[in-house]
PDB file of all heavy atoms in Angstrom:
ATOM      1  N   ASN A   1     -21.320 -57.771  16.426  1.00 95.00           N
ATOM      2  CA  ASN A   1     -22.721 -57.309  16.478  1.00 95.00           C
ATOM      3  C   ASN A   1     -22.929 -56.315  17.620  1.00 95.00           C
ATOM      4  O   ASN A   1     -22.492 -56.557  18.764  1.00 95.00           O
ATOM      5  CB  ASN A   1     -23.678 -58.465  16.674  1.00 95.00           C
ATOM      6  CG  ASN A   1     -25.150 -58.060  16.688  1.00 95.00           C
ATOM      7  OD1 ASN A   1     -25.563 -57.331  15.781  1.00 95.00           O
ATOM      8  ND2 ASN A   1     -25.901 -58.493  17.677  1.00 95.00           N
ATOM      9  N   LEU A   2     -23.608 -55.149  17.353  1.00 95.00           N
ATOM     10  CA  LEU A   2     -23.925 -54.193  18.350  1.00 95.00           C
ATOM     11  C   LEU A   2     -25.323 -54.436  18.928  1.00 95.00           C
ATOM     12  O   LEU A   2     -26.291 -54.541  18.174  1.00 95.00           O
ATOM     13  CB  LEU A   2     -23.845 -52.775  17.744  1.00 95.00           C
ATOM     14  CG  LEU A   2     -22.502 -52.378  17.110  1.00 95.00           C
ATOM     15  CD1 LEU A   2     -22.558 -50.950  16.610  1.00 95.00           C
ATOM     16  CD2 LEU A   2     -21.341 -52.532  18.090  1.00 95.00           C
ATOM     17  N   MET A   3     -25.393 -54.456  20.212  1.00 94.00           N
ATOM     18  CA  MET A   3     -26.670 -54.697  20.879  1.00 94.00           C
ATOM     19  C   MET A   3     -27.351 -53.462  21.369  1.00 94.00           C
ATOM     20  O   MET A   3     -28.547 -53.449  21.659  1.00 94.00           O
ATOM     21  CB  MET A   3     -26.437 -55.669  22.020  1.00 94.00           C
ATOM     22  CG  MET A   3     -25.753 -56.968  21.652  1.00 94.00           C
ATOM     23  SD  MET A   3     -25.223 -57.977  23.067  1.00 94.00           S
ATOM     24  CE  MET A   3     -26.783 -58.495  23.712  1.00 94.00           C
ATOM     25  N   MET A   4     -26.575 -52.374  21.530  1.00 93.00           N
ATOM     26  CA  MET A   4     -27.127 -51.131  22.071  1.00 93.00           C
ATOM     27  C   MET A   4     -26.128 -50.028  21.733  1.00 93.00           C
ATOM     28  O   MET A   4     -24.933 -50.251  21.796  1.00 93.00           O
ATOM     29  CB  MET A   4     -27.369 -51.198  23.582  1.00 93.00           C
ATOM     30  CG  MET A   4     -27.786 -49.902  24.250  1.00 93.00           C
ATOM     31  SD  MET A   4     -27.968 -50.133  26.058  1.00 93.00           S
ATOM     32  CE  MET A   4     -28.037 -48.483  26.599  1.00 93.00           C
ATOM     33  N   ILE A   5     -26.577 -48.834  21.442  1.00 92.00           N
ATOM     34  CA  ILE A   5     -25.707 -47.665  21.128  1.00 92.00           C
ATOM     35  C   ILE A   5     -26.180 -46.483  21.908  1.00 92.00           C
ATOM     36  O   ILE A   5     -27.442 -46.261  22.053  1.00 92.00           O
ATOM     37  CB  ILE A   5     -25.718 -47.374  19.606  1.00 92.00           C
ATOM     38  CG1 ILE A   5     -25.244 -48.567  18.774  1.00 92.00           C
ATOM     39  CG2 ILE A   5     -24.837 -46.147  19.297  1.00 92.00           C
ATOM     40  CD1 ILE A   5     -25.495 -48.420  17.293  1.00 92.00           C
ATOM     41  N   SER A   6     -25.230 -45.707  22.382  1.00 87.00           N
ATOM     42  CA  SER A   6     -25.635 -44.495  23.153  1.00 87.00           C
ATOM     43  C   SER A   6     -24.602 -43.421  22.895  1.00 87.00           C
ATOM     44  O   SER A   6     -23.411 -43.683  22.850  1.00 87.00           O
ATOM     45  CB  SER A   6     -25.733 -44.801  24.708  1.00 87.00           C
ATOM     46  OG  SER A   6     -25.973 -43.659  25.427  1.00 87.00           O
ATOM     47  N   GLN A   7     -25.088 -42.183  22.722  1.00 81.00           N
ATOM     48  CA  GLN A   7     -24.181 -41.040  22.572  1.00 81.00           C
ATOM     49  C   GLN A   7     -24.783 -39.810  23.190  1.00 81.00           C
ATOM     50  O   GLN A   7     -25.989 -39.491  22.973  1.00 81.00           O
ATOM     51  CB  GLN A   7     -23.846 -40.723  21.131  1.00 81.00           C
ATOM     52  CG  GLN A   7     -22.876 -39.566  20.915  1.00 81.00           C
ATOM     53  CD  GLN A   7     -22.524 -39.292  19.496  1.00 81.00           C
ATOM     54  OE1 GLN A   7     -23.141 -39.771  18.559  1.00 81.00           O
ATOM     55  NE2 GLN A   7     -21.465 -38.514  19.277  1.00 81.00           N
ATOM     56  N   GLY A   8     -23.991 -39.090  23.985  1.00 70.00           N
ATOM     57  CA  GLY A   8     -24.513 -37.851  24.618  1.00 70.00           C
ATOM     58  C   GLY A   8     -24.366 -36.688  23.695  1.00 70.00           C
ATOM     59  O   GLY A   8     -23.693 -36.749  22.665  1.00 70.00           O
ATOM     60  N   SER A   9     -25.042 -35.597  24.030  1.00 61.00           N
ATOM     61  CA  SER A   9     -25.035 -34.417  23.215  1.00 61.00           C
ATOM     62  C   SER A   9     -23.644 -33.749  23.073  1.00 61.00           C
ATOM     63  O   SER A   9     -23.366 -32.981  22.171  1.00 61.00           O
ATOM     64  CB  SER A   9     -26.065 -33.376  23.687  1.00 61.00           C
ATOM     65  OG  SER A   9     -25.761 -33.010  25.017  1.00 61.00           O
ATOM     66  N   SER A  10     -22.795 -34.030  24.057  1.00 65.00           N
ATOM     67  CA  SER A  10     -21.424 -33.492  24.030  1.00 65.00           C
ATOM     68  C   SER A  10     -20.584 -34.070  22.892  1.00 65.00           C
ATOM     69  O   SER A  10     -19.562 -33.453  22.494  1.00 65.00           O
ATOM     70  CB  SER A  10     -20.733 -33.665  25.364  1.00 65.00           C
ATOM     71  OG  SER A  10     -20.403 -35.031  25.489  1.00 65.00           O
ATOM     72  N   GLU A  11     -20.967 -35.227  22.398  1.00 73.00           N
ATOM     73  CA  GLU A  11     -20.267 -35.948  21.333  1.00 73.00           C
ATOM     74  C   GLU A  11     -18.834 -36.378  21.714  1.00 73.00           C
ATOM     75  O   GLU A  11     -18.047 -36.721  20.873  1.00 73.00           O
ATOM     76  CB  GLU A  11     -20.230 -35.134  20.008  1.00 73.00           C
ATOM     77  CG  GLU A  11     -21.601 -34.726  19.440  1.00 73.00           C
ATOM     78  CD  GLU A  11     -21.508 -33.943  18.161  1.00 73.00           C
ATOM     79  OE1 GLU A  11     -20.846 -34.452  17.230  1.00 73.00           O
ATOM     80  OE2 GLU A  11     -22.006 -32.848  18.108  1.00 73.00           O
ATOM     81  N   VAL A  12     -18.553 -36.329  23.009  1.00 85.00           N
ATOM     82  CA  VAL A  12     -17.206 -36.725  23.455  1.00 85.00           C
ATOM     83  C   VAL A  12     -17.076 -38.207  23.581  1.00 85.00           C
ATOM     84  O   VAL A  12     -15.987 -38.764  23.589  1.00 85.00           O
ATOM     85  CB  VAL A  12     -16.869 -35.993  24.788  1.00 85.00           C
ATOM     86  CG1 VAL A  12     -15.585 -36.496  25.387  1.00 85.00           C
ATOM     87  CG2 VAL A  12     -16.837 -34.524  24.565  1.00 85.00           C
ATOM     88  N   ASN A  13     -18.196 -38.873  23.677  1.00 88.00           N
ATOM     89  CA  ASN A  13     -18.198 -40.335  23.969  1.00 88.00           C
ATOM     90  C   ASN A  13     -19.244 -41.002  23.135  1.00 88.00           C
ATOM     91  O   ASN A  13     -20.429 -40.631  23.182  1.00 88.00           O
ATOM     92  CB  ASN A  13     -18.460 -40.534  25.465  1.00 88.00           C
ATOM     93  CG  ASN A  13     -18.523 -42.004  25.847  1.00 88.00           C
ATOM     94  OD1 ASN A  13     -18.473 -42.880  24.990  1.00 88.00           O
ATOM     95  ND2 ASN A  13     -18.691 -42.239  27.140  1.00 88.00           N
ATOM     96  N   ILE A  14     -18.880 -42.010  22.375  1.00 92.00           N
ATOM     97  CA  ILE A  14     -19.796 -42.907  21.674  1.00 92.00           C
ATOM     98  C   ILE A  14     -19.637 -44.272  22.338  1.00 92.00           C
ATOM     99  O   ILE A  14     -18.571 -44.836  22.359  1.00 92.00           O
ATOM    100  CB  ILE A  14     -19.524 -43.014  20.173  1.00 92.00           C
ATOM    101  CG1 ILE A  14     -19.703 -41.622  19.488  1.00 92.00           C
ATOM    102  CG2 ILE A  14     -20.480 -44.023  19.506  1.00 92.00           C
ATOM    103  CD1 ILE A  14     -19.362 -41.618  18.015  1.00 92.00           C
ATOM    104  N   SER A  15     -20.743 -44.745  22.918  1.00 92.00           N
ATOM    105  CA  SER A  15     -20.712 -46.006  23.674  1.00 92.00           C
ATOM    106  C   SER A  15     -21.627 -47.012  22.979  1.00 92.00           C
ATOM    107  O   SER A  15     -22.658 -46.682  22.423  1.00 92.00           O
ATOM    108  CB  SER A  15     -21.178 -45.789  25.135  1.00 92.00           C
ATOM    109  OG  SER A  15     -20.470 -44.743  25.729  1.00 92.00           O
ATOM    110  N   PHE A  16     -21.243 -48.267  23.157  1.00 94.00           N
ATOM    111  CA  PHE A  16     -22.072 -49.371  22.609  1.00 94.00           C
ATOM    112  C   PHE A  16     -21.897 -50.617  23.439  1.00 94.00           C
ATOM    113  O   PHE A  16     -20.925 -50.738  24.192  1.00 94.00           O
ATOM    114  CB  PHE A  16     -21.774 -49.571  21.143  1.00 94.00           C
ATOM    115  CG  PHE A  16     -20.341 -49.856  20.812  1.00 94.00           C
ATOM    116  CD1 PHE A  16     -19.840 -51.160  20.851  1.00 94.00           C
ATOM    117  CD2 PHE A  16     -19.489 -48.854  20.533  1.00 94.00           C
ATOM    118  CE1 PHE A  16     -18.531 -51.430  20.570  1.00 94.00           C
ATOM    119  CE2 PHE A  16     -18.107 -49.077  20.255  1.00 94.00           C
ATOM    120  CZ  PHE A  16     -17.650 -50.372  20.300  1.00 94.00           C
ATOM    121  N   VAL A  17     -22.789 -51.546  23.248  1.00 96.00           N
ATOM    122  CA  VAL A  17     -22.782 -52.813  23.991  1.00 96.00           C
ATOM    123  C   VAL A  17     -22.625 -53.964  23.042  1.00 96.00           C
ATOM    124  O   VAL A  17     -23.272 -53.998  21.997  1.00 96.00           O
ATOM    125  CB  VAL A  17     -24.075 -52.960  24.800  1.00 96.00           C
ATOM    126  CG1 VAL A  17     -24.093 -54.307  25.541  1.00 96.00           C
ATOM    127  CG2 VAL A  17     -24.197 -51.844  25.842  1.00 96.00           C
ATOM    128  N   VAL A  18     -21.749 -54.861  23.394  1.00 96.00           N
ATOM    129  CA  VAL A  18     -21.485 -56.095  22.580  1.00 96.00           C
ATOM    130  C   VAL A  18     -21.454 -57.280  23.511  1.00 96.00           C
ATOM    131  O   VAL A  18     -21.374 -57.131  24.738  1.00 96.00           O
ATOM    132  CB  VAL A  18     -20.181 -55.990  21.759  1.00 96.00           C
ATOM    133  CG1 VAL A  18     -20.223 -54.865  20.787  1.00 96.00           C
ATOM    134  CG2 VAL A  18     -18.975 -55.884  22.693  1.00 96.00           C
ATOM    135  N   LYS A  19     -21.489 -58.482  22.920  1.00 96.00           N
ATOM    136  CA  LYS A  19     -21.369 -59.666  23.704  1.00 96.00           C
ATOM    137  C   LYS A  19     -19.994 -59.688  24.415  1.00 96.00           C
ATOM    138  O   LYS A  19     -19.015 -59.156  23.940  1.00 96.00           O
ATOM    139  CB  LYS A  19     -21.492 -60.909  22.844  1.00 96.00           C
ATOM    140  CG  LYS A  19     -22.910 -61.253  22.476  1.00 96.00           C
ATOM    141  CD  LYS A  19     -23.663 -61.723  23.733  1.00 96.00           C
ATOM    142  CE  LYS A  19     -25.079 -62.254  23.391  1.00 96.00           C
ATOM    143  NZ  LYS A  19     -25.760 -62.657  24.631  1.00 96.00           N
ATOM    144  N   GLN A  20     -19.931 -60.302  25.550  1.00 95.00           N
ATOM    145  CA  GLN A  20     -18.705 -60.303  26.373  1.00 95.00           C
ATOM    146  C   GLN A  20     -17.491 -60.782  25.607  1.00 95.00           C
ATOM    147  O   GLN A  20     -16.370 -60.214  25.720  1.00 95.00           O
ATOM    148  CB  GLN A  20     -18.946 -61.135  27.650  1.00 95.00           C
ATOM    149  CG  GLN A  20     -17.828 -60.913  28.681  1.00 95.00           C
ATOM    150  CD  GLN A  20     -18.285 -61.442  30.019  1.00 95.00           C
ATOM    151  OE1 GLN A  20     -19.132 -62.318  30.128  1.00 95.00           O
ATOM    152  NE2 GLN A  20     -17.699 -60.933  31.090  1.00 95.00           N
ATOM    153  N   ASN A  21     -17.663 -61.827  24.861  1.00 95.00           N
ATOM    154  CA  ASN A  21     -16.532 -62.395  24.115  1.00 95.00           C
ATOM    155  C   ASN A  21     -16.010 -61.441  23.039  1.00 95.00           C
ATOM    156  O   ASN A  21     -14.806 -61.570  22.600  1.00 95.00           O
ATOM    157  CB  ASN A  21     -16.890 -63.741  23.478  1.00 95.00           C
ATOM    158  CG  ASN A  21     -17.034 -64.821  24.510  1.00 95.00           C
ATOM    159  OD1 ASN A  21     -16.512 -64.718  25.636  1.00 95.00           O
ATOM    160  ND2 ASN A  21     -17.747 -65.904  24.163  1.00 95.00           N
ATOM    161  N   ASP A  22     -16.890 -60.538  22.593  1.00 96.00           N
ATOM    162  CA  ASP A  22     -16.490 -59.600  21.493  1.00 96.00           C
ATOM    163  C   ASP A  22     -15.861 -58.333  22.041  1.00 96.00           C
ATOM    164  O   ASP A  22     -15.343 -57.527  21.291  1.00 96.00           O
ATOM    165  CB  ASP A  22     -17.728 -59.217  20.681  1.00 96.00           C
ATOM    166  CG  ASP A  22     -18.209 -60.308  19.771  1.00 96.00           C
ATOM    167  OD1 ASP A  22     -17.316 -61.122  19.349  1.00 96.00           O
ATOM    168  OD2 ASP A  22     -19.381 -60.371  19.413  1.00 96.00           O
ATOM    169  N   GLY A  23     -15.903 -58.149  23.395  1.00 95.00           N
ATOM    170  CA  GLY A  23     -15.415 -56.912  23.955  1.00 95.00           C
ATOM    171  C   GLY A  23     -13.938 -56.600  23.650  1.00 95.00           C
ATOM    172  O   GLY A  23     -13.636 -55.545  23.098  1.00 95.00           O
ATOM    173  N   PRO A  24     -13.014 -57.471  24.051  1.00 95.00           N
ATOM    174  CA  PRO A  24     -11.584 -57.229  23.783  1.00 95.00           C
ATOM    175  C   PRO A  24     -11.314 -57.078  22.266  1.00 95.00           C
ATOM    176  O   PRO A  24     -10.492 -56.190  21.886  1.00 95.00           O
ATOM    177  CB  PRO A  24     -10.909 -58.446  24.330  1.00 95.00           C
ATOM    178  CG  PRO A  24     -11.808 -58.961  25.427  1.00 95.00           C
ATOM    179  CD  PRO A  24     -13.216 -58.713  24.886  1.00 95.00           C
TER     180      PRO A  24
END
């Protein structure tokens, strides 16, 4: 499950937040 999504206008990085146990 995704809790937050962020992407800059450069499109070089798509970032998102998940629960700690889901990270690895």
Side-chain angles (χ1 to χ4, degrees):
N1 182 51
L2 303 182
M3 304 171 68
M4 173 182 168
I5 301 170
S6 177
Q7 181 176 16
S9 59
S10 69
E11 302 183 55
V12 172
N13 178 356
I14 298 175
S15 308
F16 56 88
V17 176
V18 298
K19 281 291 186 181
Q20 192 165 24
N21 288 340
D22 286 332

